[in-house]
Amino acid sequence: MVGPPALPSSWTRLSPDFCRRDAREVAPELLGWIFCADSGSPEGRSGLPRGRSGLPRGRSGLPRGRIVEVEAYVQDGDAASHSHNGPTPRNGVMFGEPGRLYVYFTYGMHWCANVVCGEQGSGEAVLIRAVRPLAGLQSIRERRPRARRDRDLTNGPAKFCQAFEVDGDANGSDLCGTGPFSLWSDGARPERIDVSPRIGISRAVELPWRWFDPDDENVSR
DNA sequence: TAAAAGATCCCCT
DNA sequence: GGGGATCTTTTAT
């Protein structure tokens, strides 16, 4: 039994300090980072973690994707944010340590994932809206049977979670430590970054807190 | 206790 | 471009 390929040592791992800033500052900087469906830790490699589908997250099926679209959500003055009215059972992770994964369930069937940002207690996060698959394409396709074209595999926040099997079990997990998912940078940055209002919200619709790579076909719009 | 809305996706026209 | 699916969370009564 052979584990997945070791993550290149030149990569930089996400740190709590990187996230301990205003989500609107962190969000555009997360474009180009690589979301990995394992912790990158020795335990994560040898453990071959499996999701609910039973498909292995490790070995050659290990999905990895480069973030190409994000949105920032903060507490103050952001009526569209889950954290806007203070902590609740659902959004508690948003008020916790930066560098954690905030996963929520919506529309009765979809999961969405955020990177917690800001100081503890600030209630900020960056929604991962889309990634470009880099590895594990076969397992991604298996988890996204409804996608007709490859560009539909991960070009939306819930599609991304489906493809990487991010669900409520991962809520609060540590992206910087031994959690089931991790974030890394190989130094690559998008050539261009565009900004626009956020998508799919009905309040605070004017705030320009969505950032994306306009040259990537995996952005949701 | 009830009701409404929701950081979406998919299929149909 | 429009509407249905589907159910949890939150807010209002």
Side-chain angles (χ1 to χ4, degrees):
Chain A
M1 201 60 118
V2 181
L7 294 165
S9 58
S10 60
W11 289 14
T12 303
R13 186 157 192 186
L14 187 76
S15 71
D17 282 344
F18 182 91
C19 303
R20 194 176 289 107
R21 295 177 291 154
D22 192 298
R24 292 158 292 193
E25 184 179 341
V26 176
E29 293 186 23
L30 281 177
L31 294 177
W33 281 65
I34 299 169
F35 191 94
C36 297
D38 83 341
S39 69
S41 69
E43 307 91 287
R45 291 197 188 102
S46 60
L48 293 180
R50 286 167 186 270
R52 289 211 168 119
S53 73
L55 294 172
R57 284 194 175 118
R59 299 171 70 197
S60 58
L62 173 71
R64 290 176 186 166
R66 197 180 297 279
I67 296 175
V68 296
E69 180 183 353
V70 294
E71 286 175 355
Y73 289 86
V74 301
Q75 180 177 21
D76 293 333
D78 185 2
S81 174
H82 290 173
S83 61
H84 184 239
N85 292 322
T88 66
R90 174 172 71 158
N91 67 19
V93 171
M94 274 187 90
F95 291 87
E97 295 177 39
R100 301 291 177 124
L101 199 59
Y102 167 49
V103 184
Y104 67 89
F105 189 62
T106 191
Y107 290 104
M109 59 191 101
H110 297 303
W111 297 98
C112 295
N114 302 252
V115 179
V116 175
C117 291
E119 294 287 347
Q120 189 155 356
S122 65
E124 306 180 18
V126 173
L127 173 70
I128 300 175
R129 280 200 62 90
V131 306
R132 174 166 77 258
L134 294 180
L137 198 57
Q138 187 174 339
S139 62
I140 288 175
R141 289 199 184 107
E142 287 178 47
R143 294 180 178 117
R144 293 275 307 130
R146 302 186 117 138
R148 295 298 182 98
R149 311 165 300 175
D150 275 0
R151 60 180 300 177
D152 294 321
L153 287 170
T154 54
N155 61 345
K159 296 177 189 177
F160 155 69
C161 283
Q162 238 176 280
F164 281 68
E165 211 158 306
V166 178
D167 59 26
D169 290 346
N171 187 36
S173 66
D174 188 2
L175 291 164
C176 314
T178 56
F181 302 98
S182 60
L183 260 177
W184 302 76
S185 171
D186 63 359
R189 303 284 306 146
E191 270 189 34
R192 300 191 294 152
I193 294 178
D194 275 11
V195 61
S196 83
R198 296 170 296 183
I199 290 178
I201 55 174
S202 60
R203 295 181 291 186
V205 293
E206 73 288 353
L207 298 175
W209 293 347
R210 168 178 177 253
W211 293 268
F212 59 100
D213 176 353
D215 301 312
D216 196 290
E217 65 171 8
N218 295 279
V219 294
S220 61
R221 269 186 226 169

